[in-house]
Amino acid sequence: MKSKMIVVVTAFLGLAIVSPAQAQEVRLNVGVRGSFGVPFGEARGGTDLKDVTTRAIPVQVDVDYRIDEHWSAGVYAIYGPVAVADATRRQLAASGLRSIGGHRQQRVGVQLTRTFRPAARVSPWVGMAAGYDWTRYAWAKLATGEETEIGVSGFETTLQGGASFKLTPRLAIGPFAAFDLGRYGQDIVWVQRAGNSSTGIPDKGLHQWVRFGVKMSVGF
């Protein structure tokens, strides 16, 4: 296993170590981000999102096509654990659920990015994104022993920015921050052997996530 990991890492870095002339031909960038997210706003009218979930630790994968020297467009996918808030944990326990814990956040969408000073060693960037979020903030067991997942879903928009430090012409790493603004429109519930169900949220509220983290990208 250790030898296989060494081979994968060596291959990844090998793709990134090319001459400056080759780097100019890069049109596709694949990025991986790790971050920490904090919620704000309302999950619905009268319910703060921080009373539903307290934090998220998502991993994001970006695939972007460079339109020209400064602009790129692409898609993203986010997946990672979320923590269930104590207030929601108590509410679910009162309804008869047990073994309650946090679960996962999932998002997919499209994004547009503007890079400044693309030829410099340090390149600041800003971007906008829009996508769909379905967060299953709680996992639990019913009194019958069946598993269940409880969450919300809806559309979101994102403002983000950061800086890329070029380690090689193809490989870059740097910090980023993102501000997500969204509105959950559906309550979603999954029950083992029964599948998914959803109901509309009549009193929708605006919520926000603030994320800070690190992004690594490689050009192809």
Side-chain angles (χ1 to χ4, degrees):
M1 179 64 72
K2 185 176 180 180
S3 62
K4 290 182 180 179
M5 291 180 63
I6 293 173
V7 170
V8 171
V9 172
T10 302
F12 183 82
L13 294 177
L15 289 171
I17 301 174
V18 297
S19 68
Q22 290 173 300
Q24 293 175 0
E25 300 172 359
V26 170
R27 303 298 289 183
L28 188 70
N29 280 282
V30 177
V32 178
R33 312 190 202 184
S35 63
F36 184 85
V38 181
F40 298 93
E42 292 185 319
R44 68 188 72 238
T47 301
D48 289 342
L49 183 55
K50 66 181 180 181
D51 290 330
V52 175
T53 177
T54 57
R55 63 187 178 276
I57 310 176
V59 173
Q60 178 170 338
V61 175
D62 305 296
V63 179
D64 293 304
Y65 179 78
R66 197 180 70 184
I67 300 170
D68 59 26
E69 186 180 19
H70 296 282
W71 291 96
S72 61
V75 296
Y76 68 90
I78 295 175
Y79 186 93
V82 295
V84 61
D86 289 340
T88 294
R89 188 189 299 270
R90 290 192 296 268
Q91 183 179 16
L92 295 176
S95 69
L97 299 183
R98 54 190 178 84
S99 302
I100 302 164
H103 204 34
R104 66 177 184 265
Q105 183 180 68
Q106 302 168 106
R107 301 177 183 178
V108 293
V110 296
Q111 58 189 0
L112 182 67
T113 304
R114 163 79 176 182
T115 300
F116 303 92
R117 302 170 56 202
R121 187 65 180 269
V122 180
S123 302
W125 59 272
V126 296
M128 297 182 64
Y132 194 75
D133 171 9
W134 61 105
T135 295
R136 298 191 177 192
Y137 55 82
W139 177 95
K141 285 191 174 182
L142 302 172
T144 58
E146 296 174 313
E147 297 179 1
T148 183
E149 300 170 359
I150 303 161
V152 285
S153 65
F155 292 96
E156 65 173 13
T157 59
T158 300
L159 296 176
Q160 55 189 340
S164 295
F165 297 82
K166 292 184 177 64
L167 302 179
T168 75
R170 285 184 185 262
L171 183 65
I173 190 171
F176 81 95
F179 176 79
D180 307 313
L181 176 66
R183 175 172 287 171
Y184 294 127
Q186 297 282 327
D187 283 312
I188 52 178
V189 177
W190 172 86
V191 178
Q192 188 177 10
R193 290 194 292 272
N196 289 297
S197 63
S198 63
T199 56
I201 298 175
D203 189 8
K204 301 174 179 65
L206 285 175
H207 68 268
Q208 304 87 38
W209 283 90
V210 176
R211 294 180 283 134
F212 300 94
V214 176
K215 175 181 179 178
M216 175 177 285
S217 62
V218 63
F220 294 90

